[in-house]
Amino acid sequence: MSFARLAAHVRENKLAYLYILPSFLVLGFVVIYPFVYNVVISFSNMSLSHFRDWKLIGFDQYLRVFREKVFYILFLKTLGWTLVNVFFHVVIGVALALLLNRPLPGRAVFRTLLILPWAIPQYIVALTWRGMFNYEYGYINLLLKRVLNLPPIQWLSDPFGAFAAATITNIWLGFPFMMIIALGGLQSIPKELYEAADVDGAKPWRQFWTITAPLLKPVMIPAISLGVIWTFNNFNVIWLVSDGGKPADSTHILVSFVYRQVFNYYSYGYGAALSIVIFIILLFFSINFIRRTRATEGYA
Amino acid sequence: MARLKKSTPRWKYVVIYAVLIVVTAVTVLPVVLVFGISLRPGNMLWTTDLSPIPANATFEAYRVLFQEKPFFRWIFNSSVVSFMVTIVGVSLASTAGYAFSRYKFVGREAGMIALIATQMFPVTMLLLPLFLMLIKLKVYDTFLGLVIAYSATALPFCIWQMKGYYDTIPYSLEEAAAIDGCSRLKTFYQIVLPLASPALVITALFSFMSAWSEYLVAAVIIIDKRLYTLPLGLKQFQSNFDTEWGLYAAGAVVVCIPVVALFLFLSRWLISGLTLGSVKG
């Protein structure tokens, strides 16, 4: 497009550009500038000892990321964390939406109570669950001991226990979002389809896979991809439930590890390089996920 | 899945209710527990009692919170910041979303993708450059700095959401208005915007929430104790060697009340506003 034509195009769509300009100015300040800054820092040796006199050193920080074993371990852990969380968010959310998407006395009460976790600020949720996982006084161990007569579990002092605790907290936190999205999706499915299926004698299970699931998919796909990104980068829950990665920095996912490196060990360059790697992983995932799911959408 | 028909056997109802009641109980339990802790007398904070509401419940923690701690100031600060973010969020997202929905301009696709991409970068790493820049702009340790930062976190989701909703509004309405000699600007404000009110409500809710309950960014930007927002204040009760669980719990309950009330009040719109957009997105 020549410059003159571009100018004409801009003039013609002046209103559109005016409408998006303020948003992108704000985003430019808060996200795009820091992002560019990070790219620069990721090629530098910036750290506590080189805070003002940092200089560019090329790919060293990236090499360090890929050379150290910790990255691969954390990557797998983050992957596991994301898969388990999103899986339960979607399964619980869709199952509840299916139960609630029918004329049922008291439906509004259940729906209202079930979105509570979404309404409560994350840091309060995380700190509250941390209290509930306390070995001696936490409600969960009290229930295990007194009601089910099981031995109490070392939640927060054991690496696996702490990770499980954070995962349980995050599952609790995330299913209402998926439930609300699924409820909206279910409401948009025409009732006639089920009536026709009834006439044909299709069993509920079959109706779910042939009608509900394919028609719910276009609604759930954007929600799931957002869910994956948010969960992959969920700093609050893992950090606050494990109180900064305890025991002994064994409870980390990639983002909390980055935070530890930057704000506790002041390895700015290394942290920036790791952040860029996280960003690229997620970008790669999203592009593939969106493309692949859109490609199959044509069949539905 | 089949909706319950008249022929639905009774056992099916029993199973559905049983499942719903168990899941709801697990969902509500932590909330009830926090409320219970806030009612405990000071010497009973660590207890192995199973009943969530203590026998000798007291509102002492709430009294201390409101009378001895600057809790009103935190509420005031958080309210100011949250309202400003809501106004910025709604006005910017409603216009930007409209542009993305109705205009075919150069950079449209790239802009939409850039919005999702902002969600992929770990927030923790935006903090340091943001911090340095806010110092340079002299809005560090001010509400303005917080409002800018929060608006930016809320905007991408809100713009996508608004765009999706506008997509479901038939374009013929605007064409009819244009034929009647209505300007594009006027069409937007007088015809499209009122129709998009469910989506506007959700944008408002999200903007408000992102400011009302955010801790990490506030902890980096705000130093002055007089400017503390609710999350910063509440975290104070946890930062000492022994956590003031009673005060923390009481504060948490007060923080949650307005958001939960808003959510419950808006839950009807939540379903239609969030998903109508993505159906045709």
Side-chain angles (χ1 to χ4, degrees), chain B residues 135-149:
Chain B
I135 291 177
K136 259 183 217 154
L137 292 172
K138 297 203 169 61
V139 287
Y140 171 68
D141 205 9
T142 64
F143 284 163
L144 185 63
L146 266 190
V147 171
I148 295 174

Side-chain angles (χ1 to χ4, degrees), chain B residues 60-266:
Chain B
E60 176 65 12
Y62 291 90
R63 191 195 62 75
V64 174
L65 195 63
F66 281 103
Q67 291 191 345
E68 291 170 22
K69 305 281 174 187
F71 198 66
F72 274 115
R73 175 168 279 281
W74 299 338
I75 292 182
F76 175 78
N77 290 345
S78 266
S79 308
V80 169
V81 173
S82 305
F83 279 116
M84 279 157 70
V85 171
T86 308
I87 291 167
V88 174
V90 169
S91 44
L92 297 194
S94 60
T95 44
Y98 187 71
F100 280 122
S101 168
R102 289 297 196 257
Y103 292 84
K104 294 257 172 298
F105 55 90
V106 173
R108 181 177 168 279
E109 299 279 306
M112 292 293 287
I113 290 168
L115 287 178
I116 320 184
T118 59
Q119 305 290 301
M120 298 172 197
F121 203 63
V123 185
T124 46
M125 267 318 281
L126 298 180
L127 287 174
L128 179 72
L130 185 66
F131 170 79
L132 297 175
M133 183 179 55
L134 291 177
I135 291 177
K136 259 183 217 154
L137 292 172
K138 297 203 169 61
V139 287
Y140 171 68
D141 205 9
T142 64
F143 284 163
L144 185 63
L146 266 190
V147 171
I148 295 174
Y150 289 160
S151 305
T153 41
L155 269 177
F157 183 78
C158 292
I159 295 176
W160 264 89
Q161 215 261 119
M162 290 303 306
K163 183 250 173 206
Y165 201 86
Y166 288 131
D167 283 349
T168 65
I169 300 173
Y171 194 58
S172 49
L173 285 173
E174 287 144 273
E175 285 169 346
I179 292 169
D180 291 344
C182 198
S183 76
R184 286 196 97 160
L185 194 67
K186 213 171 159 196
T187 316
F188 172 55
Y189 282 107
Q190 296 201 331
I191 295 171
V192 181
L193 215 47
L195 284 174
S197 44
L200 286 174
V201 167
I202 293 179
T203 298
L205 179 69
F206 267 78
S207 310
F208 186 87
M209 284 270 291
S210 67
W212 184 259
S213 56
E214 205 283 338
Y215 168 72
L216 199 60
V217 175
V220 173
I221 295 182
I222 299 295
I223 300 296
D224 189 343
K225 285 211 163 170
R226 286 169 305 170
L227 297 181
Y228 266 24
T229 54
L230 279 169
L232 291 178
L234 274 195
K235 187 74 171 67
Q236 258 195 330
F237 298 141
Q238 281 238 343
S239 58
N240 309 335
F241 280 99
D242 63 324
T243 301
E244 297 173 85
W245 273 110
L247 281 181
Y248 161 76
V253 170
V254 179
V255 171
C256 291
I257 288 171
V259 227
V260 170
L262 265 178
F263 251 79
L264 302 191
F265 180 64
L266 300 176

Side-chain angles (χ1 to χ4, degrees), chain A residues 125-183:
Chain A
V125 169
L127 294 174
T128 301
W129 276 86
R130 183 173 164 74
M132 286 168 64
F133 283 116
N134 182 290
Y135 181 74
E136 218 170 323
Y137 304 104
Y139 205 76
I140 293 174
N141 273 353
L142 288 181
L143 281 182
L144 285 178
K145 207 159 56 180
R146 303 270 196 83
V147 181
L148 302 174
N149 238 328
L150 293 170
I153 296 174
Q154 292 277 5
W155 290 105
L156 300 173
S157 53
D158 171 71
F160 184 78
F163 210 75
T167 309
I168 292 171
T169 305
N170 200 50
I171 291 172
W172 182 85
L173 196 73
F175 78 82
F177 178 73
M178 294 295 176
M179 181 184 86
I180 293 292
I181 302 280
L183 263 177

